[in-house]
PDB file of all heavy atoms in Angstrom:
ATOM      1  N   ASP A1142      -2.894  10.906   6.635  1.00 97.00           N
ATOM      2  CA  ASP A1142      -3.168  10.982   8.028  1.00 97.00           C
ATOM      3  C   ASP A1142      -4.427  11.825   8.276  1.00 97.00           C
ATOM      4  O   ASP A1142      -5.043  12.291   7.259  1.00 97.00           O
ATOM      5  CB  ASP A1142      -1.987  11.494   8.861  1.00 97.00           C
ATOM      6  CG  ASP A1142      -1.679  13.003   8.521  1.00 97.00           C
ATOM      7  OD1 ASP A1142      -2.511  13.696   7.939  1.00 97.00           O
ATOM      8  OD2 ASP A1142      -0.494  13.468   8.883  1.00 97.00           O
ATOM      9  N   ARG A1143      -4.828  12.018   9.508  1.00 93.00           N
ATOM     10  CA  ARG A1143      -6.130  12.664   9.775  1.00 93.00           C
ATOM     11  C   ARG A1143      -6.177  14.090   9.369  1.00 93.00           C
ATOM     12  O   ARG A1143      -7.188  14.759   9.194  1.00 93.00           O
ATOM     13  CB  ARG A1143      -6.382  12.556  11.284  1.00 93.00           C
ATOM     14  CG  ARG A1143      -6.758  11.199  11.767  1.00 93.00           C
ATOM     15  CD  ARG A1143      -6.782  11.115  13.276  1.00 93.00           C
ATOM     16  NE  ARG A1143      -7.599  12.121  13.904  1.00 93.00           N
ATOM     17  CZ  ARG A1143      -7.673  12.371  15.215  1.00 93.00           C
ATOM     18  NH1 ARG A1143      -6.897  11.510  16.039  1.00 93.00           N
ATOM     19  NH2 ARG A1143      -8.447  13.220  15.715  1.00 93.00           N
ATOM     20  N   ASN A1144      -4.947  14.725   9.191  1.00 94.00           N
ATOM     21  CA  ASN A1144      -4.865  16.196   8.744  1.00 94.00           C
ATOM     22  C   ASN A1144      -4.719  16.271   7.287  1.00 94.00           C
ATOM     23  O   ASN A1144      -4.507  17.393   6.781  1.00 94.00           O
ATOM     24  CB  ASN A1144      -3.693  16.778   9.460  1.00 94.00           C
ATOM     25  CG  ASN A1144      -3.820  16.767  10.983  1.00 94.00           C
ATOM     26  OD1 ASN A1144      -4.868  17.063  11.515  1.00 94.00           O
ATOM     27  ND2 ASN A1144      -2.751  16.386  11.681  1.00 94.00           N
ATOM     28  N   GLY A1145      -4.756  15.177   6.554  1.00 95.00           N
ATOM     29  CA  GLY A1145      -4.733  15.284   5.079  1.00 95.00           C
ATOM     30  C   GLY A1145      -3.316  15.222   4.466  1.00 95.00           C
ATOM     31  O   GLY A1145      -3.163  15.388   3.310  1.00 95.00           O
ATOM     32  N   ASN A1146      -2.347  14.998   5.295  1.00 97.00           N
ATOM     33  CA  ASN A1146      -1.028  14.807   4.866  1.00 97.00           C
ATOM     34  C   ASN A1146      -0.783  13.362   4.283  1.00 97.00           C
ATOM     35  O   ASN A1146      -1.215  12.427   4.845  1.00 97.00           O
ATOM     36  CB  ASN A1146       0.024  15.076   5.916  1.00 97.00           C
ATOM     37  CG  ASN A1146      -0.149  16.368   6.586  1.00 97.00           C
ATOM     38  OD1 ASN A1146      -0.105  17.382   5.925  1.00 97.00           O
ATOM     39  ND2 ASN A1146      -0.306  16.436   7.897  1.00 97.00           N
ATOM     40  N   GLY A1147      -0.092  13.310   3.100  1.00 98.00           N
ATOM     41  CA  GLY A1147      -0.046  11.939   2.524  1.00 98.00           C
ATOM     42  C   GLY A1147       1.379  11.567   2.024  1.00 98.00           C
ATOM     43  O   GLY A1147       2.174  12.457   1.821  1.00 98.00           O
ATOM     44  N   ILE A1148       1.545  10.290   1.892  1.00 98.00           N
ATOM     45  CA  ILE A1148       2.718   9.677   1.236  1.00 98.00           C
ATOM     46  C   ILE A1148       2.272   8.639   0.396  1.00 98.00           C
ATOM     47  O   ILE A1148       1.079   8.239   0.387  1.00 98.00           O
ATOM     48  CB  ILE A1148       3.784   9.181   2.272  1.00 98.00           C
ATOM     49  CG1 ILE A1148       3.123   8.105   3.130  1.00 98.00           C
ATOM     50  CG2 ILE A1148       4.329  10.274   3.139  1.00 98.00           C
ATOM     51  CD1 ILE A1148       4.126   7.373   4.026  1.00 98.00           C
ATOM     52  N   TRP A1149       3.146   8.153  -0.526  1.00 98.00           N
ATOM     53  CA  TRP A1149       2.765   7.080  -1.404  1.00 98.00           C
ATOM     54  C   TRP A1149       3.997   6.247  -1.858  1.00 98.00           C
ATOM     55  O   TRP A1149       5.111   6.687  -1.633  1.00 98.00           O
ATOM     56  CB  TRP A1149       2.070   7.637  -2.680  1.00 98.00           C
ATOM     57  CG  TRP A1149       2.909   8.499  -3.457  1.00 98.00           C
ATOM     58  CD1 TRP A1149       3.125   9.880  -3.315  1.00 98.00           C
ATOM     59  CD2 TRP A1149       3.746   8.200  -4.598  1.00 98.00           C
ATOM     60  NE1 TRP A1149       4.052  10.399  -4.245  1.00 98.00           N
ATOM     61  CE2 TRP A1149       4.399   9.346  -5.070  1.00 98.00           C
ATOM     62  CE3 TRP A1149       3.983   6.992  -5.340  1.00 98.00           C
ATOM     63  CZ2 TRP A1149       5.221   9.366  -6.160  1.00 98.00           C
ATOM     64  CZ3 TRP A1149       4.759   6.973  -6.454  1.00 98.00           C
ATOM     65  CH2 TRP A1149       5.392   8.168  -6.845  1.00 98.00           C
ATOM     66  N   VAL A1150       3.731   5.007  -2.311  1.00 98.00           N
ATOM     67  CA  VAL A1150       4.819   4.226  -2.771  1.00 98.00           C
ATOM     68  C   VAL A1150       4.280   3.536  -4.069  1.00 98.00           C
ATOM     69  O   VAL A1150       3.150   3.131  -4.150  1.00 98.00           O
ATOM     70  CB  VAL A1150       5.262   3.117  -1.812  1.00 98.00           C
ATOM     71  CG1 VAL A1150       4.088   2.114  -1.469  1.00 98.00           C
ATOM     72  CG2 VAL A1150       6.489   2.357  -2.231  1.00 98.00           C
ATOM     73  N   SER A1151       5.122   3.472  -5.162  1.00 98.00           N
ATOM     74  CA  SER A1151       4.671   2.816  -6.306  1.00 98.00           C
ATOM     75  C   SER A1151       4.680   1.302  -6.140  1.00 98.00           C
ATOM     76  O   SER A1151       5.382   0.716  -5.322  1.00 98.00           O
ATOM     77  CB  SER A1151       5.636   3.117  -7.443  1.00 98.00           C
ATOM     78  OG  SER A1151       6.895   2.476  -7.319  1.00 98.00           O
ATOM     79  N   ALA A1152       3.854   0.613  -6.904  1.00 98.00           N
ATOM     80  CA  ALA A1152       3.810  -0.872  -6.856  1.00 98.00           C
ATOM     81  C   ALA A1152       5.062  -1.434  -7.298  1.00 98.00           C
ATOM     82  O   ALA A1152       5.510  -2.501  -6.753  1.00 98.00           O
ATOM     83  CB  ALA A1152       2.594  -1.344  -7.746  1.00 98.00           C
ATOM     84  N   THR A1153       5.739  -0.797  -8.282  1.00 98.00           N
ATOM     85  CA  THR A1153       7.006  -1.349  -8.762  1.00 98.00           C
ATOM     86  C   THR A1153       8.033  -1.287  -7.609  1.00 98.00           C
ATOM     87  O   THR A1153       8.776  -2.288  -7.401  1.00 98.00           O
ATOM     88  CB  THR A1153       7.471  -0.460  -9.925  1.00 98.00           C
ATOM     89  OG1 THR A1153       6.567  -0.541 -10.999  1.00 98.00           O
ATOM     90  CG2 THR A1153       8.826  -0.997 -10.453  1.00 98.00           C
ATOM     91  N   SER A1154       8.137  -0.185  -6.877  1.00 98.00           N
ATOM     92  CA  SER A1154       9.114  -0.029  -5.778  1.00 98.00           C
ATOM     93  C   SER A1154       8.717  -0.946  -4.664  1.00 98.00           C
ATOM     94  O   SER A1154       9.642  -1.554  -4.051  1.00 98.00           O
ATOM     95  CB  SER A1154       9.149   1.378  -5.322  1.00 98.00           C
ATOM     96  OG  SER A1154       9.640   2.279  -6.306  1.00 98.00           O
ATOM     97  N   ALA A1155       7.431  -1.044  -4.344  1.00 98.00           N
ATOM     98  CA  ALA A1155       7.090  -1.860  -3.196  1.00 98.00           C
ATOM     99  C   ALA A1155       7.477  -3.330  -3.380  1.00 98.00           C
ATOM    100  O   ALA A1155       7.729  -4.051  -2.403  1.00 98.00           O
ATOM    101  CB  ALA A1155       5.573  -1.719  -2.914  1.00 98.00           C
ATOM    102  N   THR A1156       7.387  -3.838  -4.579  1.00 98.00           N
ATOM    103  CA  THR A1156       7.625  -5.252  -4.900  1.00 98.00           C
ATOM    104  C   THR A1156       9.051  -5.490  -5.404  1.00 98.00           C
ATOM    105  O   THR A1156       9.461  -6.634  -5.571  1.00 98.00           O
ATOM    106  CB  THR A1156       6.670  -5.759  -5.969  1.00 98.00           C
ATOM    107  OG1 THR A1156       6.737  -4.982  -7.129  1.00 98.00           O
ATOM    108  CG2 THR A1156       5.202  -5.691  -5.416  1.00 98.00           C
ATOM    109  N   ALA A1157       9.719  -4.388  -5.699  1.00 98.00           N
ATOM    110  CA  ALA A1157      11.110  -4.430  -6.398  1.00 98.00           C
ATOM    111  C   ALA A1157      11.003  -5.352  -7.602  1.00 98.00           C
ATOM    112  O   ALA A1157      11.891  -6.135  -7.887  1.00 98.00           O
ATOM    113  CB  ALA A1157      12.131  -4.999  -5.424  1.00 98.00           C
ATOM    114  N   ASP A1158       9.886  -5.183  -8.408  1.00 98.00           N
ATOM    115  CA  ASP A1158       9.679  -5.949  -9.568  1.00 98.00           C
ATOM    116  C   ASP A1158       9.143  -5.011 -10.686  1.00 98.00           C
ATOM    117  O   ASP A1158       7.988  -4.468 -10.456  1.00 98.00           O
ATOM    118  CB  ASP A1158       8.687  -7.085  -9.278  1.00 98.00           C
ATOM    119  CG  ASP A1158       8.563  -8.084 -10.457  1.00 98.00           C
ATOM    120  OD1 ASP A1158       8.800  -7.665 -11.613  1.00 98.00           O
ATOM    121  OD2 ASP A1158       8.174  -9.178 -10.228  1.00 98.00           O
ATOM    122  N   ALA A1159       9.925  -4.825 -11.768  1.00 98.00           N
ATOM    123  CA  ALA A1159       9.541  -3.911 -12.794  1.00 98.00           C
ATOM    124  C   ALA A1159       8.274  -4.270 -13.542  1.00 98.00           C
ATOM    125  O   ALA A1159       7.613  -3.497 -14.236  1.00 98.00           O
ATOM    126  CB  ALA A1159      10.674  -3.673 -13.776  1.00 98.00           C
ATOM    127  N   ALA A1160       7.879  -5.601 -13.388  1.00 97.00           N
ATOM    128  CA  ALA A1160       6.690  -6.039 -14.108  1.00 97.00           C
ATOM    129  C   ALA A1160       5.380  -5.773 -13.296  1.00 97.00           C
ATOM    130  O   ALA A1160       4.328  -5.970 -13.862  1.00 97.00           O
ATOM    131  CB  ALA A1160       6.778  -7.570 -14.292  1.00 97.00           C
ATOM    132  N   ILE A1161       5.559  -5.277 -12.091  1.00 98.00           N
ATOM    133  CA  ILE A1161       4.376  -5.075 -11.250  1.00 98.00           C
ATOM    134  C   ILE A1161       4.033  -3.545 -11.367  1.00 98.00           C
ATOM    135  O   ILE A1161       4.920  -2.681 -11.146  1.00 98.00           O
ATOM    136  CB  ILE A1161       4.659  -5.461  -9.833  1.00 98.00           C
ATOM    137  CG1 ILE A1161       4.963  -6.918  -9.698  1.00 98.00           C
ATOM    138  CG2 ILE A1161       3.387  -5.133  -8.913  1.00 98.00           C
ATOM    139  CD1 ILE A1161       3.899  -7.854 -10.268  1.00 98.00           C
ATOM    140  N   GLY A1162       2.766  -3.258 -11.698  1.00 97.00           N
ATOM    141  CA  GLY A1162       2.409  -1.845 -11.993  1.00 97.00           C
ATOM    142  C   GLY A1162       1.333  -1.220 -11.208  1.00 97.00           C
ATOM    143  O   GLY A1162       1.086  -0.076 -11.369  1.00 97.00           O
ATOM    144  N   LYS A1163       0.568  -2.008 -10.312  1.00 98.00           N
ATOM    145  CA  LYS A1163      -0.540  -1.376  -9.659  1.00 98.00           C
ATOM    146  C   LYS A1163      -0.901  -2.226  -8.459  1.00 98.00           C
ATOM    147  O   LYS A1163      -0.660  -3.395  -8.378  1.00 98.00           O
ATOM    148  CB  LYS A1163      -1.728  -1.171 -10.535  1.00 98.00           C
ATOM    149  CG  LYS A1163      -2.248  -2.462 -11.161  1.00 98.00           C
ATOM    150  CD  LYS A1163      -3.380  -2.197 -12.085  1.00 98.00           C
ATOM    151  CE  LYS A1163      -3.996  -3.475 -12.675  1.00 98.00           C
ATOM    152  NZ  LYS A1163      -5.156  -3.228 -13.677  1.00 98.00           N
ATOM    153  N   CYS A1164      -1.736  -1.642  -7.577  1.00 98.00           N
ATOM    154  CA  CYS A1164      -2.498  -2.448  -6.566  1.00 98.00           C
ATOM    155  C   CYS A1164      -3.606  -3.161  -7.311  1.00 98.00           C
ATOM    156  O   CYS A1164      -4.228  -2.574  -8.265  1.00 98.00           O
ATOM    157  CB  CYS A1164      -3.101  -1.497  -5.523  1.00 98.00           C
ATOM    158  SG  CYS A1164      -1.945  -0.798  -4.389  1.00 98.00           S
ATOM    159  N   ALA A1165      -3.833  -4.389  -6.898  1.00 97.00           N
ATOM    160  CA  ALA A1165      -4.917  -5.088  -7.567  1.00 97.00           C
ATOM    161  C   ALA A1165      -6.245  -4.381  -7.417  1.00 97.00           C
ATOM    162  O   ALA A1165      -6.557  -3.789  -6.402  1.00 97.00           O
ATOM    163  CB  ALA A1165      -5.037  -6.547  -6.933  1.00 97.00           C
ATOM    164  N   MET A1166      -7.031  -4.400  -8.570  1.00 97.00           N
ATOM    165  CA  MET A1166      -8.325  -3.717  -8.566  1.00 97.00           C
ATOM    166  C   MET A1166      -9.222  -4.150  -7.426  1.00 97.00           C
ATOM    167  O   MET A1166      -9.359  -5.393  -7.144  1.00 97.00           O
ATOM    168  CB  MET A1166      -8.976  -3.876  -9.902  1.00 97.00           C
ATOM    169  CG  MET A1166     -10.008  -2.936 -10.244  1.00 97.00           C
ATOM    170  SD  MET A1166      -9.404  -1.288 -10.710  1.00 97.00           S
ATOM    171  CE  MET A1166      -8.742  -1.691 -12.385  1.00 97.00           C
ATOM    172  N   ASN A1167      -9.906  -3.254  -6.796  1.00 97.00           N
ATOM    173  CA  ASN A1167     -10.829  -3.527  -5.685  1.00 97.00           C
ATOM    174  C   ASN A1167     -10.231  -4.137  -4.466  1.00 97.00           C
ATOM    175  O   ASN A1167     -10.975  -4.610  -3.570  1.00 97.00           O
ATOM    176  CB  ASN A1167     -11.983  -4.459  -6.192  1.00 97.00           C
ATOM    177  CG  ASN A1167     -12.638  -3.861  -7.363  1.00 97.00           C
ATOM    178  OD1 ASN A1167     -13.193  -2.708  -7.337  1.00 97.00           O
ATOM    179  ND2 ASN A1167     -12.760  -4.702  -8.444  1.00 97.00           N
ATOM    180  N   CYS A1168      -8.888  -4.237  -4.349  1.00 98.00           N
ATOM    181  CA  CYS A1168      -8.208  -4.892  -3.203  1.00 98.00           C
ATOM    182  C   CYS A1168      -8.114  -3.894  -2.061  1.00 98.00           C
ATOM    183  O   CYS A1168      -7.171  -3.071  -2.035  1.00 98.00           O
ATOM    184  CB  CYS A1168      -6.840  -5.396  -3.634  1.00 98.00           C
ATOM    185  SG  CYS A1168      -6.012  -6.299  -2.350  1.00 98.00           S
ATOM    186  N   ALA A1169      -9.035  -3.961  -1.111  1.00 98.00           N
ATOM    187  CA  ALA A1169      -8.933  -3.068   0.047  1.00 98.00           C
ATOM    188  C   ALA A1169      -7.734  -3.377   0.917  1.00 98.00           C
ATOM    189  O   ALA A1169      -7.549  -4.549   1.382  1.00 98.00           O
ATOM    190  CB  ALA A1169     -10.219  -3.209   0.837  1.00 98.00           C
ATOM    191  N   PRO A1170      -6.810  -2.448   1.179  1.00 98.00           N
ATOM    192  CA  PRO A1170      -5.719  -2.699   2.083  1.00 98.00           C
ATOM    193  C   PRO A1170      -6.142  -3.195   3.477  1.00 98.00           C
ATOM    194  O   PRO A1170      -7.200  -2.731   3.971  1.00 98.00           O
ATOM    195  CB  PRO A1170      -4.984  -1.370   2.145  1.00 98.00           C
ATOM    196  CG  PRO A1170      -5.389  -0.636   0.883  1.00 98.00           C
ATOM    197  CD  PRO A1170      -6.857  -1.113   0.639  1.00 98.00           C
ATOM    198  N   GLY A1171      -5.432  -4.078   4.079  1.00 98.00           N
ATOM    199  CA  GLY A1171      -5.746  -4.632   5.344  1.00 98.00           C
ATOM    200  C   GLY A1171      -4.664  -4.400   6.358  1.00 98.00           C
ATOM    201  O   GLY A1171      -3.425  -4.372   5.980  1.00 98.00           O
ATOM    202  N   LEU A1172      -4.965  -4.144   7.626  1.00 98.00           N
ATOM    203  CA  LEU A1172      -3.961  -3.821   8.668  1.00 98.00           C
ATOM    204  C   LEU A1172      -3.788  -4.990   9.573  1.00 98.00           C
ATOM    205  O   LEU A1172      -4.703  -5.727   9.892  1.00 98.00           O
ATOM    206  CB  LEU A1172      -4.459  -2.583   9.448  1.00 98.00           C
ATOM    207  CG  LEU A1172      -4.165  -1.201   8.962  1.00 98.00           C
ATOM    208  CD1 LEU A1172      -2.654  -0.881   8.849  1.00 98.00           C
ATOM    209  CD2 LEU A1172      -4.830  -0.980   7.619  1.00 98.00           C
ATOM    210  N   SER A1173      -2.571  -5.184  10.101  1.00 98.00           N
ATOM    211  CA  SER A1173      -2.282  -6.171  11.043  1.00 98.00           C
ATOM    212  C   SER A1173      -3.056  -5.783  12.408  1.00 98.00           C
ATOM    213  O   SER A1173      -3.394  -4.616  12.524  1.00 98.00           O
ATOM    214  CB  SER A1173      -0.781  -6.260  11.428  1.00 98.00           C
ATOM    215  OG  SER A1173      -0.286  -4.967  11.823  1.00 98.00           O
ATOM    216  N   PRO A1174      -3.207  -6.695  13.278  1.00 98.00           N
ATOM    217  CA  PRO A1174      -4.081  -6.297  14.542  1.00 98.00           C
ATOM    218  C   PRO A1174      -3.437  -5.168  15.296  1.00 98.00           C
ATOM    219  O   PRO A1174      -4.219  -4.409  15.918  1.00 98.00           O
ATOM    220  CB  PRO A1174      -3.960  -7.691  15.353  1.00 98.00           C
ATOM    221  CG  PRO A1174      -3.914  -8.687  14.278  1.00 98.00           C
ATOM    222  CD  PRO A1174      -3.006  -8.126  13.223  1.00 98.00           C
ATOM    223  N   ASP A1175      -2.116  -5.029  15.354  1.00 98.00           N
ATOM    224  CA  ASP A1175      -1.577  -3.862  15.984  1.00 98.00           C
ATOM    225  C   ASP A1175      -1.403  -2.642  15.140  1.00 98.00           C
ATOM    226  O   ASP A1175      -0.883  -1.562  15.600  1.00 98.00           O
ATOM    227  CB  ASP A1175      -0.181  -4.263  16.613  1.00 98.00           C
ATOM    228  CG  ASP A1175       0.892  -4.546  15.586  1.00 98.00           C
ATOM    229  OD1 ASP A1175       0.627  -4.466  14.364  1.00 98.00           O
ATOM    230  OD2 ASP A1175       2.005  -4.873  15.966  1.00 98.00           O
ATOM    231  N   GLY A1176      -1.770  -2.701  13.885  1.00 98.00           N
ATOM    232  CA  GLY A1176      -1.770  -1.633  13.009  1.00 98.00           C
ATOM    233  C   GLY A1176      -0.453  -1.225  12.425  1.00 98.00           C
ATOM    234  O   GLY A1176      -0.314  -0.259  11.681  1.00 98.00           O
ATOM    235  N   SER A1177       0.557  -2.037  12.668  1.00 98.00           N
ATOM    236  CA  SER A1177       1.912  -1.639  12.236  1.00 98.00           C
ATOM    237  C   SER A1177       2.242  -2.061  10.748  1.00 98.00           C
ATOM    238  O   SER A1177       3.163  -1.565  10.215  1.00 98.00           O
ATOM    239  CB  SER A1177       2.963  -2.324  13.153  1.00 98.00           C
ATOM    240  OG  SER A1177       2.961  -3.751  13.067  1.00 98.00           O
ATOM    241  N   VAL A1178       1.480  -2.993  10.229  1.00 98.00           N
ATOM    242  CA  VAL A1178       1.660  -3.464   8.909  1.00 98.00           C
ATOM    243  C   VAL A1178       0.441  -3.277   8.058  1.00 98.00           C
ATOM    244  O   VAL A1178      -0.700  -3.623   8.499  1.00 98.00           O
ATOM    245  CB  VAL A1178       2.102  -4.966   8.846  1.00 98.00           C
ATOM    246  CG1 VAL A1178       2.452  -5.441   7.481  1.00 98.00           C
ATOM    247  CG2 VAL A1178       3.341  -5.201   9.793  1.00 98.00           C
ATOM    248  N   VAL A1179       0.518  -2.822   6.800  1.00 98.00           N
ATOM    249  CA  VAL A1179      -0.524  -2.744   5.928  1.00 98.00           C
ATOM    250  C   VAL A1179      -0.241  -3.744   4.762  1.00 98.00           C
ATOM    251  O   VAL A1179       0.824  -3.800   4.186  1.00 98.00           O
ATOM    252  CB  VAL A1179      -0.735  -1.342   5.347  1.00 98.00           C
ATOM    253  CG1 VAL A1179       0.431  -0.769   4.703  1.00 98.00           C
ATOM    254  CG2 VAL A1179      -2.028  -1.335   4.371  1.00 98.00           C
ATOM    255  N   TYR A1180      -1.207  -4.675   4.488  1.00 99.00           N
ATOM    256  CA  TYR A1180      -1.068  -5.686   3.509  1.00 99.00           C
ATOM    257  C   TYR A1180      -2.029  -5.377   2.320  1.00 99.00           C
ATOM    258  O   TYR A1180      -3.079  -4.854   2.458  1.00 99.00           O
ATOM    259  CB  TYR A1180      -1.524  -7.069   4.048  1.00 99.00           C
ATOM    260  CG  TYR A1180      -0.755  -7.521   5.182  1.00 99.00           C
ATOM    261  CD1 TYR A1180      -1.134  -7.257   6.468  1.00 99.00           C
ATOM    262  CD2 TYR A1180       0.386  -8.309   4.987  1.00 99.00           C
ATOM    263  CE1 TYR A1180      -0.407  -7.759   7.583  1.00 99.00           C
ATOM    264  CE2 TYR A1180       1.159  -8.828   6.019  1.00 99.00           C
ATOM    265  CZ  TYR A1180       0.730  -8.544   7.351  1.00 99.00           C
ATOM    266  OH  TYR A1180       1.484  -9.084   8.393  1.00 99.00           O
ATOM    267  N   VAL A1181      -1.501  -5.586   1.095  1.00 98.00           N
ATOM    268  CA  VAL A1181      -2.279  -5.343  -0.115  1.00 98.00           C
ATOM    269  C   VAL A1181      -1.771  -6.221  -1.245  1.00 98.00           C
ATOM    270  O   VAL A1181      -0.567  -6.611  -1.233  1.00 98.00           O
ATOM    271  CB  VAL A1181      -2.213  -3.842  -0.489  1.00 98.00           C
ATOM    272  CG1 VAL A1181      -0.840  -3.411  -1.024  1.00 98.00           C
ATOM    273  CG2 VAL A1181      -3.318  -3.455  -1.440  1.00 98.00           C
ATOM    274  N   GLY A1182      -2.589  -6.574  -2.125  1.00 98.00           N
ATOM    275  CA  GLY A1182      -2.189  -7.307  -3.387  1.00 98.00           C
ATOM    276  C   GLY A1182      -1.786  -6.352  -4.443  1.00 98.00           C
ATOM    277  O   GLY A1182      -2.376  -5.261  -4.698  1.00 98.00           O
ATOM    278  N   MET A1183      -0.625  -6.682  -5.138  1.00 98.00           N
ATOM    279  CA  MET A1183      -0.126  -5.901  -6.256  1.00 98.00           C
ATOM    280  C   MET A1183       0.143  -6.788  -7.423  1.00 98.00           C
ATOM    281  O   MET A1183       0.590  -7.946  -7.280  1.00 98.00           O
ATOM    282  CB  MET A1183       1.148  -5.091  -5.897  1.00 98.00           C
ATOM    283  CG  MET A1183       0.932  -4.095  -4.820  1.00 98.00           C
ATOM    284  SD  MET A1183       2.417  -3.157  -4.345  1.00 98.00           S
ATOM    285  CE  MET A1183       1.755  -1.825  -3.362  1.00 98.00           C
TER     286      MET A1183
END
């Protein structure tokens, strides 16, 4: 957030797939028009 507070999620947990290990290289996360959803490739 703007104050420097952070959270994170592992790619394995986000996909519920033990074979998935990272966000795709150079894949800039994208936001839905209302900002409620963040999309990314893993």
Side-chain angles (χ1 to χ4, degrees):
D1142 67 19
R1143 290 168 55 183
N1144 298 316
N1146 303 307
I1148 60 173
W1149 61 277
V1150 65
S1151 73
T1153 301
S1154 295
T1156 59
D1158 188 336
I1161 301 302
K1163 64 182 181 182
C1164 290
M1166 198 76 73
N1167 303 307
C1168 182
L1172 277 295
S1173 60
D1175 66 1
S1177 65
V1178 183
V1179 56
Y1180 298 93
V1181 70
M1183 294 181 170

